[in-house]
Amino acid sequence: MNTLKHLAIIMDGNGRWAKQKGKMRSQGHKQGIHTVRNITTWCAKNHISYLSLYAFSTENWNRPKNEIDFLMKLLKQYLQKERKTYLDNDIKFLAIGNIEAFSNPLKQMIQNLQEDTAKNSALTQILALNYGAKDEIARACKKIIQNDNHDKNINMNELIAANLDTKGIPDVDLLIRTGGEMRLSNFLLWQISYAELFFTPTLWPDFTPDELSNIIKDFKTRSRTFGSL
Ligand code: FPP
């Protein structure tokens, strides 16, 4: 049986969920927050150590300004309102991505929640914000070049991994994408090298712990050889 330490999810389908119900796209994102809470607390109670969620990509800035403004407002509300969820459920919060691009108040809120939950240990929830895997790898390479005092015999794989935003976090075991699209969308490309992939047509607001539990059952029985026999 495979063990699941690190689960990653591409949360897709909020817009379509809203459209199907004759609502504004923003209502889909709002509903998506409930799913984030349900899935995160379920993972904390079910001994998953790391949960990575793709909340805002480096490419999402290309969306209409009103949607970006709404997502930023929702993110601020989320960081404030969900503080209790993190504390009550022993969940550590960690943001990955190029956070520098955010406004000072938002950066401060992210930092505060990271500090307030730093000692929690049931689950680390990793929220990808202004995240792109190519951007993350490029930033890691820049850090390595700027810090040019490495031992020349150093293991390059380890050096790159140690300069990624996910430093110290094990690679992804299982990646799920909701919403029916079959692509990776620049999410954790380094860390998913040997992840098992699962695509479900369920739209993110409709995704439940029950469906997640069934996907994990399937994952546990898959043969993972990591390139060997
Ligand atoms: C994809 O839906 C989802 C996103 C762009 C971001 C995910 C955001 C949330 C779950 C809500 C905000 C979360 C936090 C933690 C603040 P889509 O708009 O691409 O859906 P579509 O493909 O149906 O249009």
Side-chain angles (χ1 to χ4, degrees):
M1 290 280 257
N2 299 315
T3 49
L4 176 56
K5 265 195 176 164
H6 189 170
L7 167 67
I9 308 183
I10 300 175
M11 310 182 285
D12 196 15
N14 294 343
R16 278 165 286 161
W17 182 90
K19 196 173 175 200
Q20 278 177 6
K21 296 199 152 33
K23 298 177 190 235
M24 308 264 284
R25 289 179 57 81
S26 54
Q27 291 308 303
H29 295 311
K30 221 169 160 183
Q31 191 63 30
I33 296 282
H34 294 283
T35 312
V36 170
R37 188 188 309 118
N38 285 343
I39 295 297
T40 302
T41 51
W42 187 89
C43 287
K45 291 188 173 81
N46 285 274
H47 315 292
I48 292 166
S49 304
Y50 301 92
L51 169 67
S52 292
L53 299 173
Y54 206 3
F56 194 85
S57 76
T58 46
E59 288 75 32
N60 285 153
W61 295 109
N62 297 325
R63 293 192 175 204
K65 186 177 178 302
N66 66 344
E67 181 157 339
I68 293 170
D69 289 348
F70 183 83
L71 282 169
M72 290 302 136
K73 198 174 92 187
L74 201 60
L75 177 59
K76 283 187 194 146
Q77 282 173 2
Y78 174 86
L79 294 169
Q80 267 170 345
K81 283 195 192 158
E82 296 301 320
R83 188 173 177 278
K84 192 171 162 17
T85 306
Y86 288 91
L87 298 177
D88 289 354
N89 294 279
D90 196 21
I91 299 166
K92 179 173 169 176
F93 169 75
L94 181 70
I96 59 166
N98 191 355
I99 304 303
E100 282 310 306
F102 289 129
S103 67
N104 283 334
L106 183 50
K107 273 193 277 196
Q108 194 59 55
M109 290 168 85
I110 291 168
Q111 200 181 326
N112 289 348
L113 191 58
Q114 286 187 156
E115 285 170 9
D116 292 352
T117 62
K119 292 204 167 64
N120 292 351
S121 62
L123 169 77
T124 300
Q125 185 221 51
I126 300 152
L127 212 53
L129 300 168
N130 191 26
Y131 178 87
K134 286 191 173 183
D135 177 67
E136 180 192 31
I137 295 167
R139 283 187 288 107
C141 293
K142 199 171 171 186
K143 278 187 246 169
I144 292 167
I145 293 165
Q146 282 170 348
N147 179 14
D148 189 27
N149 56 353
H150 307 291
D151 172 357
K152 300 295 176 227
N153 296 318
I154 202 155
N155 177 319
M156 279 308 291
N157 268 5
E158 285 175 13
L159 182 62
I160 293 171
N163 281 279
L164 294 172
D165 299 342
T166 52
K167 175 183 177 184
I169 294 169
D171 278 353
V172 174
D173 298 298
L174 170 63
L175 171 74
I176 300 170
R177 182 176 185 134
T178 64
E181 306 288 352
M182 305 276 244
R183 54 176 171 261
L184 301 172
S185 299
N186 203 10
F187 190 41
L188 298 175
L189 298 183
W190 178 279
Q191 299 87 341
I192 61 167
S193 324
Y194 267 102
E196 295 297 317
L197 307 181
F198 203 102
F199 299 90
T200 168
T202 305
L203 305 173
W204 177 249
D206 290 330
F207 191 65
T208 60
D210 266 359
E211 182 170 2
L212 174 57
S213 173
N214 285 331
I215 293 171
I216 293 173
K217 275 186 199 134
D218 175 290
F219 160 82
K220 289 200 167 165
T221 63
R222 288 193 191 179
S223 160
R224 299 187 82 195
T225 57
F226 298 93
S228 73
L229 292 178

